[in-house]
Coordinates of all heavy atoms in Angstrom, one line a residue:
M188 N 72.6 -5.6 10.6 CA 73.6 -4.7 11.1 C 74.3 -4.1 9.9 O 74.7 -4.9 9.0 CB 74.6 -5.4 12.0 CG 74.9 -4.8 13.3 SD 73.7 -3.9 14.2 CE 72.9 -5.2 15.1
I189 N 74.5 -2.8 9.8 CA 75.2 -2.2 8.7 C 76.7 -1.9 9.2 O 76.9 -1.3 10.2 CB 74.5 -0.9 8.3 CG1 73.1 -1.1 8.0 CG2 75.3 -0.2 7.2 CD1 72.8 -2.1 6.9
D190 N 77.6 -2.4 8.5 CA 79.0 -2.2 8.7 C 79.4 -0.8 8.3 O 78.8 -0.2 7.3 CB 79.8 -3.2 7.9 CG 81.3 -3.2 8.2 OD1 81.7 -2.6 9.3 OD2 82.0 -3.7 7.4
A191 N 80.3 -0.2 9.0 CA 80.8 1.2 8.6 C 81.2 1.2 7.2 O 81.0 2.2 6.4 CB 81.9 1.6 9.6
S192 N 81.9 0.2 6.7 CA 82.4 0.1 5.4 C 81.3 0.2 4.3 O 81.5 0.8 3.2 CB 83.3 -1.1 5.1 OG 82.5 -2.3 5.3
A193 N 80.2 -0.3 4.6 CA 79.0 -0.3 3.7 C 78.6 1.2 3.5 O 78.3 1.6 2.4 CB 77.9 -1.1 4.1
V194 N 78.5 1.9 4.5 CA 78.1 3.3 4.5 C 79.2 4.1 3.7 O 78.9 5.0 2.9 CB 77.9 3.9 5.9 CG1 77.5 5.4 5.8 CG2 76.7 3.2 6.6
L195 N 80.4 3.8 4.0 CA 81.5 4.6 3.4 C 81.7 4.3 1.9 O 82.0 5.2 1.1 CB 82.9 4.3 4.1 CG 82.9 4.8 5.5 CD1 84.1 4.2 6.3 CD2 82.9 6.3 5.6
V196 N 81.3 3.1 1.5 CA 81.3 2.7 0.1 C 80.3 3.6 -0.7 O 80.6 4.1 -1.8 CB 81.0 1.2 -0.1 CG1 80.5 0.9 -1.6 CG2 82.2 0.4 0.2
V197 N 79.2 3.8 -0.1 CA 78.2 4.7 -0.7 C 78.6 6.1 -0.7 O 78.5 6.8 -1.7 CB 76.8 4.6 0.1 CG1 75.8 5.6 -0.4 CG2 76.3 3.2 0.0
C198 N 79.2 6.6 0.4 CA 79.7 8.0 0.5 C 80.8 8.3 -0.6 O 80.8 9.4 -1.2 CB 80.4 8.2 1.8 SG 79.2 8.3 3.2
H199 N 81.6 7.3 -0.8 CA 82.7 7.5 -1.8 C 82.4 7.1 -3.2 O 83.2 7.1 -4.1 CB 84.0 6.8 -1.3 CG 84.5 7.4 0.0 ND1 84.9 8.7 0.2 CD2 84.6 6.8 1.2 CE1 85.3 8.8 1.4 NE2 85.1 7.7 2.1
K200 N 81.2 6.6 -3.4 CA 80.7 6.1 -4.7 C 81.7 5.1 -5.3 O 82.1 5.1 -6.4 CB 80.5 7.3 -5.7 CG 79.4 8.2 -5.2 CD 79.3 9.4 -6.1 CE 78.2 10.3 -5.6 NZ 78.1 11.5 -6.3
E201 N 82.1 4.1 -4.4 CA 83.0 3.1 -4.8 C 82.3 1.9 -5.4 O 81.1 1.9 -5.3 CB 83.8 2.6 -3.6 CG 84.7 3.7 -3.0 CD 85.3 3.3 -1.6 OE1 85.1 2.1 -1.2 OE2 86.1 4.1 -1.1
P202 N 83.0 1.0 -6.1 CA 82.3 -0.2 -6.6 C 81.6 -0.9 -5.5 O 82.0 -1.1 -4.4 CB 83.5 -1.1 -7.1 CG 84.6 -0.1 -7.4 CD 84.4 1.0 -6.4
G203 N 80.3 -1.3 -5.8 CA 79.5 -1.9 -4.8 C 78.6 -1.0 -4.1 O 77.7 -1.4 -3.3
A204 N 78.7 0.3 -4.4 CA 77.8 1.3 -3.7 C 76.4 1.1 -3.9 O 75.6 1.2 -3.0 CB 78.2 2.7 -4.1
A205 N 76.0 0.8 -5.2 CA 74.5 0.5 -5.5 C 74.0 -0.6 -4.7 O 72.9 -0.5 -4.1 CB 74.3 0.3 -6.9
E206 N 74.8 -1.7 -4.6 CA 74.3 -2.9 -3.8 C 74.2 -2.6 -2.3 O 73.3 -2.9 -1.7 CB 75.3 -4.1 -4.1 CG 75.2 -4.6 -5.5 CD 76.2 -3.9 -6.4 OE1 76.7 -2.8 -6.1 OE2 76.3 -4.3 -7.6
A207 N 75.2 -1.9 -1.8 CA 75.3 -1.5 -0.4 C 74.1 -0.6 -0.1 O 73.4 -0.8 1.0 CB 76.6 -0.8 0.0
L208 N 73.8 0.3 -1.0 CA 72.7 1.2 -0.7 C 71.3 0.5 -0.6 O 70.5 0.7 0.2 CB 72.6 2.3 -1.8 CG 71.6 3.4 -1.7 CD1 71.9 4.2 -0.4 CD2 71.6 4.3 -2.9
Q209 N 71.1 -0.5 -1.5 CA 69.9 -1.3 -1.5 C 69.8 -2.1 -0.2 O 68.8 -2.3 0.4 CB 69.8 -2.2 -2.7 CG 69.6 -1.5 -4.0 CD 68.3 -0.6 -3.9 OE1 67.3 -1.1 -3.4 NE2 68.3 0.6 -4.4
L210 N 70.9 -2.7 0.2 CA 70.9 -3.6 1.4 C 70.8 -2.9 2.7 O 70.2 -3.4 3.6 CB 72.2 -4.4 1.4 CG 72.4 -5.5 0.4 CD1 73.8 -6.1 0.5 CD2 71.3 -6.6 0.6
K211 N 71.2 -1.6 2.8 CA 71.2 -0.9 4.0 C 70.0 -0.2 4.3 O 69.8 0.3 5.4 CB 72.4 -0.1 4.2 CG 72.5 1.2 3.3 CD 73.8 1.9 3.5 CE 73.9 3.1 2.8 NZ 73.1 4.2 3.3
R212 N 69.1 0.0 3.4 CA 67.8 0.7 3.7 C 67.1 0.1 4.8 O 66.9 -1.1 4.8 CB 67.0 0.8 2.4 CG 67.6 1.6 1.3 CD 66.5 2.2 0.4 NE 67.1 2.9 -0.7 CZ 67.5 4.2 -0.6 NH1 67.4 4.8 0.5 NH2 68.1 4.8 -1.6
H213 N 66.7 1.0 5.7 CA 65.9 0.5 6.9 C 66.6 -0.4 7.8 O 66.0 -1.2 8.5 CB 64.5 -0.1 6.5 CG 63.8 0.8 5.4 ND1 63.3 2.0 5.7 CD2 63.6 0.5 4.2 CE1 62.8 2.5 4.6 NE2 62.9 1.6 3.6
G214 N 67.9 -0.4 7.8 CA 68.7 -1.3 8.6 C 69.1 -0.7 9.9 O 68.6 0.4 10.3
L215 N 70.0 -1.4 10.6 CA 70.5 -1.0 11.9 C 72.0 -0.7 11.8 O 72.7 -1.4 11.0 CB 70.3 -2.1 12.9 CG 68.9 -2.7 13.1 CD1 68.9 -3.8 14.1 CD2 68.0 -1.6 13.6
I216 N 72.5 0.3 12.5 CA 73.9 0.6 12.6 C 74.2 0.8 14.0 O 73.5 1.5 14.7 CB 74.3 1.8 11.7 CG1 75.8 1.9 11.7 CG2 73.6 3.0 12.1 CD1 76.4 2.9 10.6
T217 N 75.3 0.2 14.5 CA 75.6 0.4 15.9 C 76.2 1.8 16.1 O 76.8 2.4 15.2 CB 76.6 -0.7 16.4 OG1 77.9 -0.5 15.7 CG2 76.1 -2.1 16.2
S218 N 76.2 2.2 17.3 CA 76.8 3.5 17.6 C 78.3 3.5 17.4 O 78.9 4.5 17.0 CB 76.5 3.9 19.1 OG 76.8 2.9 20.0
V219 N 78.9 2.3 17.6 CA 80.3 2.2 17.3 C 80.6 2.4 15.8 O 81.5 3.1 15.4 CB 80.8 0.8 17.8 CG1 82.3 0.6 17.4 CG2 80.6 0.7 19.3
N220 N 79.8 1.7 15.0 CA 80.0 1.8 13.5 C 79.7 3.3 13.1 O 80.4 3.8 12.2 CB 79.2 0.8 12.7 CG 79.9 -0.5 12.7 OD1 81.1 -0.6 12.6 ND2 79.1 -1.6 12.7
L221 N 78.7 3.9 13.6 CA 78.4 5.2 13.3 C 79.5 6.2 13.6 O 79.9 7.1 12.8 CB 77.1 5.7 14.0 CG 76.7 7.1 13.7 CD1 76.5 7.4 12.2 CD2 75.4 7.5 14.4
S222 N 80.1 5.9 14.8 CA 81.3 6.8 15.2 C 82.4 6.6 14.1 O 83.0 7.6 13.8 CB 81.7 6.3 16.5 OG 82.9 7.1 16.9
E223 N 82.7 5.4 13.7 CA 83.7 5.2 12.7 C 83.4 5.9 11.4 O 84.2 6.6 10.7 CB 83.9 3.7 12.4 CG 85.0 3.5 11.3 CD 85.2 2.0 11.0 OE1 84.6 1.1 11.7 OE2 85.9 1.8 10.0
V224 N 82.1 5.9 11.0 CA 81.7 6.5 9.7 C 81.8 8.0 9.9 O 82.4 8.7 8.9 CB 80.2 6.2 9.4 CG1 79.6 7.1 8.3 CG2 80.0 4.7 9.0
L225 N 81.4 8.6 11.0 CA 81.6 10.0 11.2 C 83.0 10.5 11.2 O 83.4 11.5 10.6 CB 80.9 10.5 12.5 CG 79.3 10.3 12.4 CD1 78.7 10.5 13.8 CD2 78.7 11.2 11.4
Q226 N 83.9 9.7 11.8 CA 85.3 10.0 11.9 C 85.9 10.0 10.5 O 86.6 10.9 10.1 CB 86.0 9.0 12.8 CG 87.5 9.2 13.0 CD 88.4 8.6 12.0 OE1 88.1 7.5 11.4 NE2 89.4 9.3 11.6
R227 N 85.5 9.0 9.7 CA 86.0 8.9 8.3 C 85.5 10.1 7.5 O 86.2 10.6 6.6 CB 85.7 7.6 7.6 CG 86.3 6.4 8.3 CD 87.8 6.4 8.0 NE 88.3 5.2 8.6 CZ 89.6 4.8 8.5 NH1 90.4 5.5 7.8 NH2 90.0 3.7 9.1
G228 N 84.2 10.5 7.7 CA 83.7 11.6 7.1 C 84.4 12.9 7.3 O 84.7 13.7 6.4
L229 N 84.8 13.1 8.6 CA 85.6 14.2 8.9 C 87.0 14.1 8.3 O 87.5 15.1 7.8 CB 85.8 14.3 10.5 CG 84.6 14.8 11.2 CD1 84.8 14.6 12.7 CD2 84.5 16.3 11.0
E230 N 87.6 13.0 8.3 CA 88.9 12.8 7.8 C 89.0 13.1 6.3 O 90.0 13.7 5.8 CB 89.3 11.3 8.0 CG 90.7 11.0 7.5 CD 91.1 9.5 7.8 OE1 90.5 8.9 8.8 OE2 91.9 8.9 7.1
Y231 N 87.9 12.7 5.5 CA 87.9 13.0 4.1 C 87.1 14.2 3.7 O 86.7 14.3 2.5 CB 87.4 11.7 3.4 CG 88.4 10.5 3.5 CD1 88.1 9.5 4.4 CD2 89.6 10.5 2.8 CE1 89.0 8.5 4.5 CE2 90.5 9.5 2.9 CZ 90.2 8.4 3.8 OH 91.1 7.4 3.9
D232 N 86.8 15.0 4.7 CA 86.0 16.2 4.4 C 84.7 15.9 3.7 O 84.3 16.6 2.8 CB 86.8 17.2 3.6 CG 86.2 18.6 3.6 OD1 85.6 19.0 4.7 OD2 86.4 19.4 2.6
R233 N 84.0 14.9 4.2 CA 82.7 14.4 3.6 C 81.7 14.3 4.7 O 80.7 13.5 4.6 CB 82.9 13.2 2.8 CG 83.8 13.4 1.6 CD 83.9 12.2 0.6 NE 82.6 11.8 0.1 CZ 82.0 12.3 -1.0 NH1 82.6 13.2 -1.7 NH2 80.9 11.8 -1.4
L234 N 81.8 15.0 5.8 CA 80.9 14.8 6.9 C 79.5 15.1 6.6 O 78.6 14.3 7.0 CB 81.3 15.7 8.1 CG 80.5 15.6 9.4 CD1 80.6 14.1 9.9 CD2 81.0 16.6 10.4
R235 N 79.2 16.1 5.8 CA 77.8 16.4 5.4 C 77.2 15.2 4.6 O 76.0 14.9 4.8 CB 77.7 17.7 4.6 CG 77.9 18.9 5.4 CD 77.7 20.1 4.5 NE 77.9 21.3 5.3 CZ 76.8 22.1 5.7 NH1 75.6 21.8 5.2 NH2 77.0 23.1 6.4
V236 N 78.0 14.6 3.7 CA 77.5 13.5 2.9 C 77.2 12.3 3.9 O 76.1 11.7 3.8 CB 78.5 13.0 1.9 CG1 78.1 11.8 1.2 CG2 78.8 14.2 0.9
V237 N 78.1 12.0 4.8 CA 77.9 10.9 5.7 C 76.6 11.2 6.6 O 75.8 10.3 6.7 CB 79.1 10.8 6.6 CG1 78.8 9.8 7.8 CG2 80.3 10.3 5.8
Q238 N 76.5 12.4 7.1 CA 75.4 12.7 7.9 C 74.0 12.6 7.2 O 73.0 12.3 7.8 CB 75.5 14.1 8.6 CG 76.6 14.1 9.6 CD 76.9 15.5 10.1 OE1 77.0 16.5 9.3 NE2 77.0 15.7 11.4
S239 N 74.0 12.9 5.9 CA 72.8 12.8 5.2 C 72.4 11.4 4.8 O 71.2 11.1 4.6 CB 72.9 13.6 3.9 OG 73.8 13.0 2.9
I240 N 73.3 10.5 4.8 CA 73.0 9.1 4.4 C 72.3 8.4 5.5 O 71.3 7.6 5.2 CB 74.3 8.3 4.0 CG1 74.8 8.8 2.7 CG2 74.1 6.8 4.0 CD1 76.1 8.3 2.3
I241 N 72.6 8.7 6.8 CA 71.9 8.0 7.9 C 70.4 8.2 7.8 O 69.7 7.2 7.8 CB 72.5 8.4 9.2 CG1 74.0 8.2 9.3 CG2 71.8 7.7 10.4 CD1 74.5 6.8 9.0
P242 N 69.9 9.4 7.8 CA 68.4 9.5 7.7 C 67.8 9.2 6.4 O 66.7 8.6 6.3 CB 68.2 11.0 8.0 CG 69.4 11.7 7.8 CD 70.5 10.7 8.0
T243 N 68.6 9.4 5.3 CA 68.1 9.1 4.0 C 67.8 7.6 3.8 O 66.8 7.2 3.2 CB 69.0 9.6 2.9 OG1 69.2 11.0 3.0 CG2 68.6 9.2 1.5
A244 N 68.8 6.8 4.3 CA 68.6 5.3 4.3 C 67.7 4.8 5.4 O 67.5 3.6 5.5 CB 70.0 4.7 4.3
D245 N 67.3 5.7 6.2 CA 66.4 5.3 7.4 C 67.1 4.3 8.2 O 66.5 3.2 8.6 CB 65.1 4.8 6.8 CG 64.0 4.7 7.9 OD1 64.1 5.4 8.9 OD2 63.1 3.9 7.8
L246 N 68.4 4.5 8.5 CA 69.1 3.7 9.4 C 68.8 4.0 10.9 O 68.7 5.2 11.2 CB 70.6 3.9 9.2 CG 71.2 3.4 7.9 CD1 72.7 3.7 7.8 CD2 71.0 1.9 7.7
R247 N 68.6 3.0 11.7 CA 68.3 3.2 13.1 C 69.6 2.9 13.9 O 70.2 1.8 13.7 CB 67.2 2.3 13.6 CG 66.8 2.5 15.0 CD 65.5 1.9 15.4 NE 65.5 0.4 15.1 CZ 65.6 -0.5 16.1 NH1 65.7 -0.1 17.4 NH2 65.6 -1.7 15.9
V248 N 70.0 3.8 14.7 CA 71.3 3.7 15.5 C 70.9 2.9 16.8 O 70.0 3.2 17.5 CB 71.9 5.0 15.8 CG1 73.1 4.9 16.7 CG2 72.2 5.8 14.6
V249 N 71.7 1.8 17.0 CA 71.5 1.0 18.2 C 72.7 1.0 19.0 O 73.9 1.0 18.5 CB 71.0 -0.4 17.9 CG1 69.7 -0.5 17.2 CG2 72.1 -1.1 17.0
H250 N 72.6 0.9 20.3 CA 73.7 0.8 21.3 C 74.3 -0.6 21.2 O 73.6 -1.6 21.2 CB 73.2 1.1 22.7 CG 74.3 1.0 23.7 ND1 75.4 1.8 23.8 CD2 74.4 0.1 24.7 CE1 76.1 1.4 24.8 NE2 75.5 0.4 25.4
L251 N 75.6 -0.6 21.1 CA 76.3 -1.9 21.1 C 76.5 -2.4 22.5 O 77.6 -2.0 23.1 CB 77.6 -1.8 20.3 CG 78.3 -3.2 20.1 CD1 77.5 -4.1 19.3 CD2 79.7 -2.9 19.5
D252 N 75.6 -3.1 23.1 CA 75.7 -3.6 24.4 C 76.4 -5.0 24.4 O 76.8 -5.5 23.3 CB 74.4 -3.7 25.2 CG 73.4 -4.6 24.5 OD1 73.7 -5.3 23.6 OD2 72.2 -4.5 24.8
E253 N 76.6 -5.6 25.5 CA 77.3 -6.9 25.5 C 76.6 -8.0 24.7 O 77.3 -8.7 24.0 CB 77.5 -7.3 27.0 CG 78.3 -8.6 27.1 CD 78.6 -9.0 28.6 OE1 78.2 -8.2 29.5 OE2 79.2 -10.0 28.8
E254 N 75.3 -8.1 24.9 CA 74.6 -9.1 24.2 C 74.7 -8.9 22.6 O 75.0 -9.9 21.9 CB 73.1 -9.1 24.5 CG 72.3 -10.1 23.8 CD 70.8 -10.0 24.1 OE1 70.4 -9.3 25.1 OE2 70.0 -10.6 23.3
L255 N 74.6 -7.7 22.2 CA 74.7 -7.5 20.7 C 76.1 -7.7 20.3 O 76.4 -8.2 19.2 CB 74.2 -6.0 20.4 CG 74.2 -5.7 18.9 CD1 73.3 -6.7 18.1 CD2 73.6 -4.3 18.7
A256 N 77.1 -7.3 21.1 CA 78.5 -7.6 20.7 C 78.8 -9.1 20.6 O 79.5 -9.5 19.6 CB 79.4 -7.0 21.8
I257 N 78.2 -9.9 21.4 CA 78.4 -11.3 21.3 C 77.7 -11.9 20.1 O 78.3 -12.7 19.3 CB 77.8 -12.0 22.6 CG1 78.7 -11.7 23.8 CG2 77.7 -13.5 22.4 CD1 78.1 -12.1 25.1
R258 N 76.5 -11.4 19.8 CA 75.8 -11.9 18.6 C 76.5 -11.5 17.3 O 76.6 -12.3 16.4 CB 74.3 -11.3 18.6 CG 73.5 -12.0 19.7 CD 72.1 -11.4 19.8 NE 71.4 -11.3 18.5 CZ 70.5 -10.5 18.2 NH1 70.0 -9.6 19.1 NH2 69.9 -10.4 17.0
T259 N 77.0 -10.3 17.3 CA 77.8 -9.8 16.2 C 79.1 -10.6 16.0 O 79.4 -11.0 14.8 CB 78.1 -8.3 16.3 OG1 76.9 -7.6 16.5 CG2 78.9 -7.8 15.1
A260 N 79.8 -10.9 17.1 CA 81.0 -11.7 17.0 C 80.7 -13.1 16.4 O 81.5 -13.7 15.7 CB 81.7 -11.8 18.3
E261 N 79.6 -13.7 16.8 CA 79.2 -15.0 16.4 C 78.9 -15.1 14.9 O 79.1 -16.1 14.2 CB 77.9 -15.5 17.1 CG 78.2 -15.8 18.6 CD 77.0 -16.1 19.4 OE1 75.9 -15.8 19.0 OE2 77.2 -16.6 20.5
L262 N 78.6 -13.9 14.3 CA 78.3 -13.9 12.8 C 79.6 -14.0 12.0 O 79.6 -14.4 10.9 CB 77.7 -12.5 12.4 CG 76.2 -12.3 12.9 CD1 75.8 -10.9 12.6 CD2 75.3 -13.3 12.2
A263 N 80.7 -13.7 12.6 CA 82.0 -13.8 11.9 C 82.3 -15.1 11.3 O 82.9 -15.2 10.2 CB 83.1 -13.4 12.9
Q264 N 81.8 -16.2 11.9 CA 82.1 -17.5 11.4 C 81.5 -17.7 10.0 O 82.1 -18.2 9.0 CB 81.5 -18.6 12.3 CG 82.2 -18.7 13.6 CD 83.7 -19.1 13.5 OE1 84.0 -19.8 12.6 NE2 84.5 -18.7 14.4
S265 N 80.2 -17.3 9.8 CA 79.6 -17.4 8.5 C 79.9 -16.4 7.5 O 80.0 -16.6 6.3 CB 78.0 -17.5 8.7 OG 77.6 -16.3 9.3
T266 N 80.2 -15.2 8.0 CA 80.5 -14.1 7.0 C 81.9 -14.2 6.4 O 82.1 -13.9 5.3 CB 80.4 -12.7 7.7 OG1 81.3 -12.6 8.8 CG2 79.0 -12.5 8.2
R267 N 82.9 -14.7 7.2 CA 84.2 -14.8 6.8 C 84.3 -15.8 5.6 O 85.0 -15.5 4.6 CB 85.1 -15.3 7.9 CG 86.6 -15.3 7.5 CD 87.5 -15.7 8.7 NE 87.2 -14.9 9.9 CZ 86.9 -15.5 11.1 NH1 86.8 -16.8 11.2 NH2 86.6 -14.7 12.1
K268 N 83.6 -16.9 5.6 CA 83.5 -17.9 4.6 C 83.0 -17.3 3.3 O 83.3 -17.8 2.2 CB 82.7 -19.1 5.0 CG 83.3 -19.9 6.1 CD 82.3 -20.9 6.6 CE 82.8 -21.6 7.9 NZ 81.9 -22.5 8.4
K269 N 82.2 -16.3 3.4 CA 81.6 -15.7 2.2 C 82.3 -14.4 1.7 O 81.9 -13.8 0.8 CB 80.1 -15.3 2.5 CG 79.3 -16.5 2.8 CD 77.8 -16.1 3.1 CE 77.0 -17.4 3.4 NZ 75.7 -17.0 3.8
G270 N 83.4 -14.1 2.4 CA 84.2 -12.9 2.0 C 83.6 -11.6 2.4 O 83.9 -10.6 1.9
I271 N 82.7 -11.7 3.4 CA 82.0 -10.5 3.9 C 82.7 -10.0 5.1 O 83.2 -10.8 5.9 CB 80.5 -10.7 4.2 CG1 79.8 -11.3 2.9 CG2 79.8 -9.5 4.7 CD1 78.4 -11.8 3.2
S272 N 82.8 -8.7 5.3 CA 83.5 -8.1 6.5 C 82.8 -8.6 7.8 O 81.7 -9.1 7.8 CB 83.5 -6.6 6.4 OG 82.2 -6.1 6.6
F273 N 83.5 -8.4 8.9 CA 83.1 -8.8 10.2 C 81.7 -8.4 10.5 O 80.9 -9.2 11.0 CB 84.1 -8.3 11.2 CG 83.7 -8.6 12.6 CD1 83.8 -9.9 13.1 CD2 83.3 -7.6 13.5 CE1 83.4 -10.2 14.4 CE2 82.9 -7.9 14.8 CZ 83.0 -9.2 15.3
A274 N 81.4 -7.2 10.3 CA 80.0 -6.7 10.7 C 79.2 -6.9 9.4 O 79.0 -6.0 8.6 CB 80.0 -5.3 11.1
V275 N 78.6 -8.0 9.2 CA 77.8 -8.4 8.1 C 76.7 -7.4 7.9 O 76.1 -6.9 8.9 CB 77.4 -9.8 8.1 CG1 76.4 -10.0 9.3 CG2 76.8 -10.3 6.8
I276 N 76.3 -7.2 6.6 CA 75.1 -6.4 6.3 C 73.9 -7.3 6.4 O 73.7 -8.2 5.6 CB 75.3 -5.8 4.9 CG1 76.5 -4.9 4.9 CG2 74.0 -4.9 4.6 CD1 76.9 -4.5 3.5
L277 N 72.9 -6.9 7.2 CA 71.7 -7.6 7.3 C 70.5 -6.7 7.2 O 70.6 -5.6 7.7 CB 71.5 -8.4 8.7 CG 72.5 -9.4 9.0 CD1 72.3 -9.9 10.4 CD2 72.4 -10.6 8.0
Q278 N 69.5 -7.0 6.5 CA 68.3 -6.2 6.4 C 67.5 -6.6 7.6 O 67.4 -7.7 8.0 CB 67.5 -6.5 5.1 CG 67.8 -5.4 4.1 CD 66.9 -5.6 2.9 OE1 67.1 -6.6 2.2 NE2 66.0 -4.7 2.7
T279 N 66.8 -5.6 8.1 CA 65.9 -5.8 9.2 C 64.5 -6.3 8.7 O 64.2 -6.1 7.6 CB 65.7 -4.6 10.1 OG1 65.2 -3.5 9.3 CG2 67.0 -4.1 10.7

């Protein structure tokens, strides 16, 4: 799962952008995270950049249903210990 913050790091060319870009290729992003990314893109007048990253990175948008929400919440235990945000970045 790709966290919204990972996409935004790439959009803003912040520290860690290169690593995030490598990790997120061909990954999954939930519709909820995509919505956050798009909202931030609008807020910072970078919507076109955000919209281009999704297909360029070959991200697949998945619906966040109850089962996926539970599985994502369970990841918090292991990610928090490593200093990774709630929606951990996983390659598919």
Side-chain angles (χ1 to χ4, degrees):
M188 234 26 94
I189 304 301
D190 186 20
S192 62
V194 177
L195 294 169
V196 162
V197 174
C198 290
H199 298 300
K200 299 179 181 174
E201 295 174 358
E206 293 85 352
L208 188 60
Q209 289 301 317
L210 288 172
K211 71 184 185 74
R212 291 207 184 277
H213 313 293
L215 305 174
I216 186 167
T217 66
S218 52
V219 175
N220 277 325
L221 178 58
S222 179
E223 180 182 352
V224 169
L225 294 171
Q226 184 272 325
R227 296 290 182 176
L229 282 168
E230 183 178 331
Y231 293 104
D232 197 30
R233 299 190 53 93
L234 184 59
R235 286 181 178 256
V236 173
V237 170
Q238 288 175 313
S239 70
I240 287 175
I241 304 304
T243 300
D245 195 24
L246 293 177
R247 186 167 57 104
V248 179
V249 295
H250 176 67
L251 184 65
D252 60 13
E253 185 176 355
E254 180 184 345
L255 186 55
I257 291 168
R258 289 176 49 204
T259 303
E261 290 170 345
L262 290 173
Q264 294 295 331
S265 61
T266 60
R267 189 177 307 123
K268 294 174 188 173
K269 296 178 182 176
I271 301 172
S272 68
F273 175 70
V275 66
I276 302 170
L277 297 174
Q278 263 186 290
T279 58

